[in-house]
Amino acid sequence: MALFHVQGVPIGGVAIMLALLASMGGFIFGYDTGQISDILLMDDFKLRFAQCSSPGDVNSCEFSDVRSGLIVSLLSIGTLIGALIGAPTADFLGRRHAMAAECLVFIVGVIIQVTSMSQWAQFAVGRLISGFGVGALSAAVPMYQAETAPPQIRGSLTATYQLFITFGILVAYCISIGTREMSGSGSWRTVVAIGIIWALVLGIGILFMPESPRWLAAHNYLEEAKESLARSRGVSKADARTDRFIIREAEQMRSNAQKEAQMKGGWLDCFKGQNKTRYRTLLGMALQSFQQLTGANYFFYYGATVFQSVGIHDSFVTQIILGAVNFFCTFGGIYVMEKFGRRVPLIVGGLWQSAWLFVFAAAGTAKVPEDNPNIGKLMIVAACMFILGYAMTWAPGVWILVGETFPTRTRAKQGALATASNWLWNFLLAFFTPFIINSINFSYGFVFAGCNLAGAIVVYFFLYESSDLTLESVNDMYTDPTCKPWTSRKWAPEGFASREEFARYRDAQEKEKDVDVKARQSHAESEGTAVEGHGVGDKETLVHQENVKW
C-alpha cells in the first residue's frame, strides 16, 4: 500500500525506508569525518601518538604537520581506492550485498584503530582500511538510491545521503564533547568504537530492502525487478506481475539494459565520446572535485584547531555549532534541489559560498583574531553562513547528480570515477592543509573563494538540468545535439511540449494505475477470483487485454 502521495502519485513506504537505510553509508562517512577533528585535541590521544618533548606532560605534546596530516588524510586514500573497487563490486554482487560487505571492511578498520596502543601508524592504517569501506559505500549508495527511488521524489531521496553525512558529523561532535573528560583512552576509543554500531545497522538492515530493479533487469531477473518496483511504488506483491505500469517500467529497464549489454561497459568506455559518455565522466569528476574545493572540509577536519587560533577557548562547542548549522540546513537543501532543480542552486550556492569565504579570509588577514575578539566572532559568523549555503546547494546537489547523470551501462564505473575524484581532493586538502595554514594562515580562504566561483562557472556552461526526468530521459537529453546546458531546463522528452507536460502525463499514468488496481481488486472480490491469476505475457498483449476488459 502507498504510504502517501506526491502530486497524486502513490509512494510506497519501502521507498522511504530504503533511502534512509542506505543513507547510513553517508552517516558512517560523516561520523568518521567529524570525529577526527576533536580526537586530535584529546589529551590521552596526544600523549599516545603525538611528539612530546616531556613524556607524560600533555602540554608538551604536539602533532607534526606530517603526522597529523597522515592521520587525518589516510582515510581519504582508502576511500579513493574503495570508490574504484566499489563499482565492480556493486555490479558483481548487486547493490545490497556489496554494501553489506563494505560495512564489514569498515568494521575491520575500526577494530584496528581501537586496539592501537602507542603506534600512531597503526591508528592511521586502521583509518586507511575503514576508508576502503567508506569509499565503496560512497559509490554504491547514491547509485542504489537513484536506481530504486520513484522519479517523483528521486532528488529528495538521493539527497538524504548528504543529509546523513551532516547528521553523522554532528553526532560525532556531540559524542566527542561527551567523552573528552573521560579518563584514559576511553575518551577517544569510545568515539571510534561506536562507529561499529552504525555499520551493523546498515550492513544487516540493507539485506531486508529490495535490490535495485535496474540491476535485476540488467541481469535478466525480470520478475524480481517487477517485485522490487512494486515494493517501492506501493503496489502489492500480488499485483506486481499483472500491473501494466510496473510491467512497462520493468520492460523499459530490461530493453535498455539489453541494448547496453551489446556494448562492453569497461573503464575505458567511460572515456569514449559516443553519447557524450566522456563528457559526463569528466563533468562528474569536476563536480565532485569542486565539492571538495568549496572548502567545507577545511572546517570539518581542522575546525577545532582553526577556532582555537581565533581565540575561541572551547572549540568543541564551536564545532557543534557548525555541525548543527550543516545538518539542519541540509533539510532546506533537499527542498531547494527538488523545487529549483540542479543548475540554479549550484550556481547561486557557488556565488554565496565564495562571498562568505572572502569575508572569512579578509577578516582573518586584516587583524590578528586572537587580539581582536570581534574579528574572531565575525569569522565564525562567516563560517556558519558559508556552511548554510554549502549544506543547501553543493553538499546534496553533487551527490544527486552522481546518481542520475550517467547511463546504466557505465553508471557504476562513472560514479566510482567521480567519487574517486572527490576522495582524491579530500586527501590532498586533508594532508596539505596544515602546511598551507602554517604558510599563508587565513589567506587560505581566498583560495577556496576562487574555487567556488570556478565551480559556478563550470555548472553554467556544462551541467544539464536533470530534475523531473526519468534516468532514461536524462540519457536522451545529454545525447540530443540540439540541447545545450543553459537551455536544458526547457528540454522535454520526444512527444511532449514541455517537461511539465511530461510530468503531468506521468502523474496521470500513475493515477490511472492506482484506479486500475483498485478496480481489479474490487472485481476480483466480487467474482471471488484472485487478481494474480492473470498470466504475464507480452506487454502490449496484456495492456490490450486489460483495456478491453475495463
Side-chain angles (χ1 to χ4, degrees):
M1 295 295 293
L3 182 65
F4 60 90
H5 290 69
V6 176
Q7 299 174 347
V9 179
I11 303 297
V14 172
I16 308 300
M17 282 301 301
L18 69 86
L20 295 177
L21 186 60
S23 291
M24 283 300 297
F27 184 93
I28 293 170
F29 165 35
Y31 187 81
D32 231 34
T33 298
Q35 68 182 8
I36 195 61
S37 178
D38 291 336
I39 285 176
L40 287 174
L41 298 179
M42 292 182 177
D43 289 350
D44 185 81
F45 192 82
K46 293 173 71 174
L47 286 170
R48 288 174 183 271
F49 303 120
Q51 295 157 308
C52 303
S53 57
S54 300
D57 181 9
V58 69
N59 294 321
S60 70
C61 299
E62 293 293 339
F63 285 100
S64 67
D65 292 339
V66 172
R67 188 172 296 191
S68 63
L70 285 174
I71 290 175
V72 173
S73 65
L74 274 182
L75 174 77
S76 303
I77 288 293
T79 51
L80 190 158
I81 298 171
L84 295 175
I85 296 175
T89 303
D91 280 342
F92 180 73
L93 295 178
R95 312 318 191 203
R96 294 181 310 138
H97 291 100
M99 284 188 272
E102 289 148 10
C103 286
L104 181 60
V105 173
F106 174 80
I107 290 173
V108 171
V110 170
I111 292 173
I112 293 174
Q113 293 174 66
V114 171
T115 55
S116 302
M117 299 302 294
S118 59
Q119 296 297 320
W120 70 269
Q122 179 181 340
F123 188 87
V125 168
R127 282 179 60 79
L128 174 70
I129 294 174
S130 290
F132 293 155
V134 173
L137 285 170
S138 70
V141 170
M143 180 168 51
Y144 173 72
Q145 292 174 320
E147 291 180 346
T148 311
Q152 293 81 8
I153 56 172
R154 187 180 65 235
S156 296
L157 295 190
T158 308
T160 58
Y161 180 75
Q162 176 61 31
L163 175 66
F164 272 59
I165 291 177
T166 64
F167 188 36
I169 293 173
L170 177 59
V171 170
Y173 290 161
C174 293
I175 292 177
S176 295
I177 201 172
T179 65
R180 62 177 175 170
E181 300 300 332
M182 293 177 64
S183 61
S185 62
S187 58
W188 60 272
R189 289 190 203 274
T190 302
V191 180
V192 176
I194 286 176
I196 295 176
I197 298 175
W198 319 133
L200 289 176
V201 170
L202 173 58
I204 296 173
I206 198 64
L207 298 177
F208 294 92
M209 294 293 105
E211 181 55 88
S212 161
R214 286 176 171 83
W215 183 88
L216 291 169
H219 289 75
N220 295 319
Y221 298 118
L222 192 58
E223 294 304 315
E224 290 83 352
K226 294 174 185 175
E227 292 181 7
S228 176
L229 282 168
R231 288 183 67 184
S232 63
R233 304 306 192 263
V235 177
S236 67
K237 184 177 180 180
D239 289 328
R241 297 183 178 181
T242 57
D243 187 286
R244 58 192 172 107
F245 294 97
I246 294 294
I247 292 172
R248 182 190 60 205
E249 194 169 355
E251 286 287 352
Q252 184 183 22
M253 291 179 184
R254 184 182 64 83
S255 176
N256 186 60
Q258 285 180 340
K259 291 178 182 177
E260 295 181 341
Q262 296 173 2
M263 301 176 288
K264 292 182 179 180
W267 290 100
L268 291 179
D269 292 288
C270 297
F271 295 95
K272 290 185 176 180
Q274 185 179 11
N275 296 327
K276 280 197 173 181
T277 303
R278 179 175 59 240
Y279 179 102
R280 285 184 270 179
T281 299
L282 296 177
L283 176 62
M285 294 173 68
L287 291 175
Q288 284 282 26
S289 298
F290 276 115
Q291 190 196 56
Q292 283 297 315
L293 290 169
T294 57
N297 279 344
Y298 166 60
F299 296 105
F300 296 142
Y301 282 143
Y302 295 102
T305 305
V306 169
F307 289 115
Q308 272 190 343
S309 67
V310 301
I312 304 300
H313 298 294
D314 196 343
S315 55
F316 282 68
V317 175
T318 307
Q319 285 286 85
I320 289 180
I321 293 173
L322 283 181
V325 171
N326 190 29
F327 173 62
F328 289 109
C329 287
T330 303
F331 284 100
I334 294 175
Y335 171 79
V336 166
M337 300 308 295
E338 199 70 55
K339 177 71 174 178
F340 300 103
R342 317 299 187 239
R343 282 173 50 84
V344 172
L346 291 185
I347 293 171
V348 173
L351 298 176
W352 172 275
Q353 291 154 204
S354 178
W356 285 107
L357 282 169
F358 185 86
V359 172
F360 177 88
T365 55
K367 293 183 178 181
V368 179
E370 296 94 322
D371 301 333
N372 297 272
N374 289 333
I375 290 293
K377 293 176 183 178
L378 174 61
M379 294 176 72
I380 293 176
V381 171
C384 288
M385 297 303 287
F386 161 78
I387 293 296
L388 180 149
Y390 174 78
M392 296 185 70
T393 57
W394 276 83
V398 171
W399 290 110
I400 292 173
L401 289 165
V402 166
E404 65 186 19
T405 300
F406 309 123
T408 303
R409 178 173 61 95
T410 52
R411 179 175 294 128
K413 293 180 177 62
Q414 287 176 291
L417 288 169
T419 305
S421 299
N422 183 297
W423 295 121
L424 174 61
W425 281 102
N426 192 311
F427 163 74
L428 293 174
L429 291 172
F431 181 75
F432 288 108
T433 287
F435 299 95
I436 297 173
I437 291 176
N438 286 338
S439 178
I440 63 174
N441 206 1
F442 295 114
S443 295
Y444 200 15
F446 292 126
V447 177
F448 291 127
C451 290
N452 278 278
L453 284 176
I457 293 171
V458 168
V459 169
Y460 179 81
F461 284 105
F462 297 102
L463 179 65
Y464 287 69
E465 180 57 66
S466 54
S467 61
D468 299 323
L469 294 174
T470 63
L471 297 184
E472 289 72 24
S473 296
V474 170
N475 187 57
D476 292 338
M477 175 181 62
Y478 270 95
T479 55
D480 185 345
T482 64
C483 183
K484 304 299 179 185
W486 47 89
T487 63
S488 59
R489 179 61 195 174
K490 298 179 180 179
W491 184 92
E494 185 177 357
F496 296 91
S498 67
R499 198 169 294 192
E500 289 71 24
E501 181 181 328
F502 174 65
R504 288 195 297 270
Y505 169 76
R506 193 176 60 209
D507 295 346
Q509 286 183 316
E510 294 290 347
K511 290 178 181 178
E512 183 183 349
K513 175 185 73 174
D514 208 23
V515 172
D516 186 54
V517 168
K518 291 179 181 178
R520 286 189 286 114
Q521 288 176 340
S522 176
H523 179 77
E525 291 174 359
S526 64
E527 295 292 329
T529 59
V531 175
E532 56 267 32
H534 292 287
V536 180
D538 178 73
K539 179 186 69 172
E540 288 77 12
T541 302
L542 179 62
V543 172
H544 174 71
Q545 290 173 342
E546 290 191 348
N547 284 341
V548 170
K549 184 174 181 180
W550 300 109

